[in-house]
């Protein structure tokens, strides 16, 4: 079983003010790490997700799901005024990371568009769908929220895997991914200073 990645979710200088856009940019990288971890776990569970377009197709769906969840959490903590710059930075930074990785591995798109632009369009479309479902800080996404992700993933997988992915996502992958996202956002939003590292004693 894949070991969850260690996510740095605290600011190194907690005394410095951070605005919603800075926070959103930080969460985008965390969501990327979480999404990549989910794919690793799916592969270990026997799902065939080949490196290349199939990998990024699944990753985009996972990112949209995680960013939609992060947007809900941010709204609960920042209100409507802070949510807008947070989510804008969140999505644009995730799109930028995606573009860098897809361009390196798959090359440029033939139509001259960018992977970042395509991801933003995908998020704008699907976030409206996810808006119809529930997500609370206490319980995370509701059944419909997670089921929609499973249905989005089905056509991206080989025929042999499609009937199993919904159960795998709902029962195994999403609970861990959401827990990682929520813990990381707790850390990023925390105003408490990090515990100072114990300095090594000479001779130890």
């Amino acid at each position: 079983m894949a070991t969850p990645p260690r996510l740095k979710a605290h600011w190194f200088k907690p005394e410095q003010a951070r605005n919603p856009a800075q926070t959103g940019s930080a969460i985008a990288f965390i969501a990327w790490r979480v999404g990549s971890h989910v794919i690793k776990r799916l592969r270990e569970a026997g799902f065939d997700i080949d490196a290349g377009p199939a990998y990024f197709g699944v990753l985009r769906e996972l990112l949209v799901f995680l960013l939609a969840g992060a947007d809900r959490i941010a709204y609960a903590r920042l209100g409507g005024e802070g949510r807008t710059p947070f989510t804008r930075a969140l999505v644009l930074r995730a799109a930028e990371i995606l573009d860098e990785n897809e361009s390196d591995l798959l090359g440029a798109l033939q139509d001259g568009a960018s992977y970042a632009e395509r991801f933003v369009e995908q998020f704008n479309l699907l976030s409206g769908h996810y808006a119809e479902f529930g997500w609370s800080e206490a319980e995370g996404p509701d059944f419909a929220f997670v089921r929609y992700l499973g249905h989005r993933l089905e056509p991206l997988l080989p025929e042999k895997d499609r009937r199993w992915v919904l159960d795998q996502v709902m029962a195994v992958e999403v609970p861990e991914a959401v827990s990682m996202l929520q813990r990381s956002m707790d850390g990023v939003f925390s105003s408490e200073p990090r515990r100072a590292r114990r300095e090594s004693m000479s001779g130890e």
Side-chain angles (χ1 to χ4, degrees):
M1 186 64 67
T3 302
R6 292 179 59 83
L7 301 174
K8 295 181 179 180
H10 285 81
W11 293 81
F12 288 104
K13 296 181 179 180
E15 70 278 3
Q16 293 183 351
R18 63 267 192 183
N19 59 45
Q22 291 172 322
T23 305
S25 183
I27 296 299
F29 180 72
I30 290 170
W32 171 270
R33 294 283 306 280
V34 173
S36 300
H37 176 67
V38 171
I39 294 180
K40 185 176 181 180
R41 283 172 54 94
L42 286 170
R43 284 172 160 174
E44 290 181 349
F47 291 86
D48 289 334
I49 304 173
D50 295 332
Y55 179 93
F56 286 106
V58 172
L59 183 56
R60 282 194 297 271
E61 291 294 342
L62 292 169
L63 280 175
V64 171
F65 172 85
L66 292 166
L67 300 191
D71 171 70
R72 298 290 186 92
I73 296 171
Y75 179 68
R77 301 189 184 194
L78 301 174
E81 183 175 348
R83 176 194 203 177
T84 298
F86 170 90
T87 301
R88 176 179 173 80
L90 173 77
V91 175
L92 292 180
R93 179 56 183 146
E96 184 179 69
I97 297 170
L98 189 67
D99 188 86
E100 292 170 357
N101 283 267
E102 284 199 86
S103 296
D104 286 345
L105 294 176
L106 304 181
L109 290 167
Q110 296 299 316
D111 60 5
S114 71
Y115 294 105
E117 291 170 343
R118 288 193 173 184
F119 178 74
V120 171
E121 291 174 359
Q122 182 174 351
F123 178 85
N124 287 338
L125 173 64
L126 299 184
S127 63
H129 299 175
Y130 279 115
E132 300 177 7
F133 311 131
W135 181 304
S136 68
E137 278 207 80
E139 299 181 1
D142 63 15
F143 179 84
F145 207 115
V146 182
R147 182 179 58 185
Y148 185 65
L149 170 64
H151 287 321
R152 293 285 307 177
L153 293 175
E154 283 178 347
L156 302 177
L157 299 175
E159 184 68 33
K160 72 176 184 66
D161 293 333
R162 292 176 185 173
R163 62 181 297 187
W164 309 112
V165 68
L166 183 58
D167 288 342
Q168 180 74 15
V169 165
M170 296 190 72
V172 181
E173 307 307 338
V174 163
E176 177 171 323
V178 168
S179 177
M180 292 170 65
L181 177 67
Q182 290 178 322
R183 290 197 310 270
S184 297
M185 291 190 71
D186 286 343
V188 172
F189 278 107
S190 175
S191 60
E192 296 180 3
R194 296 178 64 194
R195 184 185 302 176
R197 289 183 178 179
R198 184 186 301 175
E199 295 184 1
S200 298
M201 300 284 291
S202 60
E204 288 189 351

